[in-house]
């Protein structure tokens, strides 16, 4: 969708990724995954092209395709513990607190590849309230770019997929939202490489308007 002075999207629910969308955790992700790359003799820059948006075991399966999946799951558990213990540099994406506050009483859900512990820790470190409805790593059998998480989020909210708008920053997440039949607002420069329906620099460019029929309008400046 080409950007005009103001683009308006109508929806009945919003599904929100966390890392890169509500929370800027890039410094932690870089630290942890570059250490992992060093341990496995992989190029850190190439690893960073893969890991955003996916669950750790799914990233490892792409990067080490011949390694047994049980090793990836075990390695992912260690990675989650390492990331959960490291909140240095975790901050809110500009506008995230105000954006979440504007959704109070409106259907929305967090749909993240992080588990409960990591998502709770990062949202708290960024000073953000967790949405009441949350789809985390424990909730799904398949990682983004599979659409399962977004479809579960829509189902929990009781909203048809086509009436949902996804907020995402990564290629895997944008692909997942599109595969779920949803429109996607891309957040930040990383999203711009993956052709979201609308692209914003950060969440300061979003204004939410409540509509009397229970739907909402997103004004994208």
């Amino acid at each position: 969708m080409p950007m005009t002075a103001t683009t308006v999207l109508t929806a009945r629910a919003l599904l929100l990724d966390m890392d890169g969308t509500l929370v800027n955790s890039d410094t932690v992700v870089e630290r942890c995954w570059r250490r992992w790359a060093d341990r496995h003799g992989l190029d850190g820059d190439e690893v960073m092209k893969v890991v955003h948006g996916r669950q750790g075991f799914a990233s490892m399966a792409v990067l080490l395709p011949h390694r047994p999946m049980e090793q990836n799951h075990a390695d992912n558990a260690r990675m989650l513990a390492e990331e959960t213990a490291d909140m240095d540099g975790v901050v809110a994406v500009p506008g995230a607190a105000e954006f979440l506050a504007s959704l109070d009483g409106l259907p929305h859900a967090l749909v993240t590849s992080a588990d409960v512990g990591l998502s709770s820790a990062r949202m708290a470190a960024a000073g953000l309230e967790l949405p009441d409805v949350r789809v985390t790593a424990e909730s799904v059998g398949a990682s983004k770019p599979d659409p399962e998480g977004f479809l579960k989020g829509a189902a929990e909210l009781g909203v048809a997929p086509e009436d949902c708008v996804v907020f995402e920053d990564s290629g895997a997440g944008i692909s997942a939202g599109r595969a779920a039949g949803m429109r996607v607002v891309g957040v930040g420069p990383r999203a711009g490489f993956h052709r979201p329906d609308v692209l914003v620099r950060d969440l300061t460019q979003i204004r939410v308007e409540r509509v009397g029929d229970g739907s909402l309008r997103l004004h994208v400046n």
Side-chain angles (χ1 to χ4, degrees):
M1 180 183 295
M3 288 291 288
T4 57
T6 301
T7 296
V8 179
L9 299 177
T10 301
R12 301 196 74 85
L14 304 184
L15 302 177
L16 315 173
D17 175 52
M18 182 183 69
D19 291 302
T21 301
L22 298 172
V23 172
N24 183 343
S25 56
D26 281 0
T27 57
V28 179
V29 173
E30 287 262 349
R31 278 197 296 272
C32 292
W33 278 100
R34 286 185 182 276
R35 282 197 296 264
W36 182 89
D38 288 344
R39 288 197 295 268
H40 294 279
L42 299 175
D43 181 271
D45 291 339
E46 295 303 312
V47 167
M48 295 312 303
K49 292 176 183 178
V50 171
V51 300
H52 291 291
R54 292 180 169 88
Q55 290 192 46
F57 73 84
S59 296
M60 294 169 188
V62 172
L63 294 161
L64 297 173
H66 303 298
R67 190 167 78 157
M69 189 55 76
E70 58 266 26
Q71 290 186 30
N72 293 334
H73 282 286
D75 216 358
N76 183 49
R78 289 188 289 270
M79 176 71 76
L80 284 169
E82 187 178 344
E83 289 185 287
T84 303
D86 185 356
M87 292 295 126
D88 187 23
V90 174
V91 295
V93 166
E98 296 81 2
F99 174 65
L100 287 171
S102 74
L103 299 180
D104 186 38
L106 294 172
H108 66 288
L110 187 73
V111 181
T112 176
S113 294
D115 65 1
V116 169
L118 182 57
S119 59
S120 299
R122 282 188 176 161
M123 290 288 281
L128 300 175
E129 294 289 332
L130 279 164
D132 291 337
V133 178
R134 301 185 285 276
V135 178
T136 61
E138 297 93 338
S139 309
V140 297
S143 170
K144 300 171 185 176
D146 191 281
E148 181 186 1
F150 287 125
L151 293 172
K152 282 200 167 185
E156 287 199 35
L157 294 170
V159 177
E162 62 268 22
D163 292 326
C164 296
V165 171
V166 164
F167 281 71
E168 265 286 359
D169 73 300
S170 70
I174 290 168
S175 294
R178 190 174 291 124
M182 302 171 182
R183 291 155 292 158
V184 181
V185 174
V187 180
R190 191 159 47 231
F193 294 103
H194 304 286
R195 301 175 63 84
D197 296 288
V198 174
L199 178 65
V200 297
R201 177 186 64 255
D202 56 44
L203 295 171
T204 64
Q205 292 184 265
I206 302 289
R207 180 172 65 84
V208 180
E209 177 190 3
R210 301 163 189 253
V211 182
D213 64 358
S215 62
L216 54 93
R217 291 193 188 101
L218 296 171
H219 298 264
V220 185
N221 298 314

PDB file of all heavy atoms in Angstrom, residues 56 88 113 124 128 137-138:
ATOM      1  N   GLY A  56      14.452 -19.607  18.468  1.00  0.00           N
ATOM      2  CA  GLY A  56      15.858 -19.959  18.343  1.00  0.00           C
ATOM      3  C   GLY A  56      16.098 -21.282  17.665  1.00  0.00           C
ATOM      4  O   GLY A  56      16.990 -21.408  16.810  1.00  0.00           O
ATOM      5  N   ASP A  88      20.479  -5.727  29.525  1.00  0.00           N
ATOM      6  CA  ASP A  88      21.261  -4.512  29.287  1.00  0.00           C
ATOM      7  C   ASP A  88      20.993  -3.982  27.881  1.00  0.00           C
ATOM      8  O   ASP A  88      21.245  -4.667  26.884  1.00  0.00           O
ATOM      9  CB  ASP A  88      22.757  -4.824  29.461  1.00  0.00           C
ATOM     10  CG  ASP A  88      23.616  -3.580  29.390  1.00  0.00           C
ATOM     11  OD1 ASP A  88      23.089  -2.475  29.650  1.00  0.00           O
ATOM     12  OD2 ASP A  88      24.808  -3.702  29.074  1.00  0.00           O
ATOM     13  N   SER A 113       7.834 -14.768  19.379  1.00  0.00           N
ATOM     14  CA  SER A 113       8.626 -15.996  19.345  1.00  0.00           C
ATOM     15  C   SER A 113       9.368 -16.229  20.658  1.00  0.00           C
ATOM     16  O   SER A 113       9.970 -17.287  20.837  1.00  0.00           O
ATOM     17  CB  SER A 113       9.631 -15.949  18.187  1.00  0.00           C
ATOM     18  OG  SER A 113       8.951 -15.946  16.946  1.00  0.00           O
ATOM     19  N   ALA A 124       8.969  -5.865  30.814  1.00  0.00           N
ATOM     20  CA  ALA A 124       9.189  -5.158  32.073  1.00  0.00           C
ATOM     21  C   ALA A 124      10.410  -4.248  31.993  1.00  0.00           C
ATOM     22  O   ALA A 124      10.381  -3.104  32.467  1.00  0.00           O
ATOM     23  CB  ALA A 124       9.354  -6.166  33.211  1.00  0.00           C
ATOM     24  N   LEU A 128       6.927  -1.578  29.714  1.00  0.00           N
ATOM     25  CA  LEU A 128       5.687  -1.732  28.967  1.00  0.00           C
ATOM     26  C   LEU A 128       4.774  -2.747  29.636  1.00  0.00           C
ATOM     27  O   LEU A 128       5.230  -3.744  30.190  1.00  0.00           O
ATOM     28  CB  LEU A 128       5.984  -2.191  27.534  1.00  0.00           C
ATOM     29  CG  LEU A 128       6.852  -1.251  26.688  1.00  0.00           C
ATOM     30  CD1 LEU A 128       7.148  -1.898  25.337  1.00  0.00           C
ATOM     31  CD2 LEU A 128       6.170   0.102  26.511  1.00  0.00           C
ATOM     32  N   ALA A 137       6.099 -18.630  22.745  1.00  0.00           N
ATOM     33  CA  ALA A 137       6.707 -19.825  22.152  1.00  0.00           C
ATOM     34  C   ALA A 137       6.054 -21.104  22.644  1.00  0.00           C
ATOM     35  O   ALA A 137       5.929 -22.079  21.884  1.00  0.00           O
ATOM     36  CB  ALA A 137       8.209 -19.846  22.468  1.00  0.00           C
ATOM     37  N   GLU A 138       5.613 -21.104  23.914  1.00  0.00           N
ATOM     38  CA  GLU A 138       4.988 -22.313  24.466  1.00  0.00           C
ATOM     39  C   GLU A 138       3.632 -22.610  23.839  1.00  0.00           C
ATOM     40  O   GLU A 138       3.122 -23.722  23.960  1.00  0.00           O
ATOM     41  CB  GLU A 138       4.801 -22.162  25.986  1.00  0.00           C
ATOM     42  CG  GLU A 138       6.096 -22.027  26.767  1.00  0.00           C
ATOM     43  CD  GLU A 138       6.486 -20.577  26.988  1.00  0.00           C
ATOM     44  OE1 GLU A 138       6.010 -19.699  26.212  1.00  0.00           O
ATOM     45  OE2 GLU A 138       7.260 -20.320  27.910  1.00  0.00           O
TER      46      GLU A 138
END
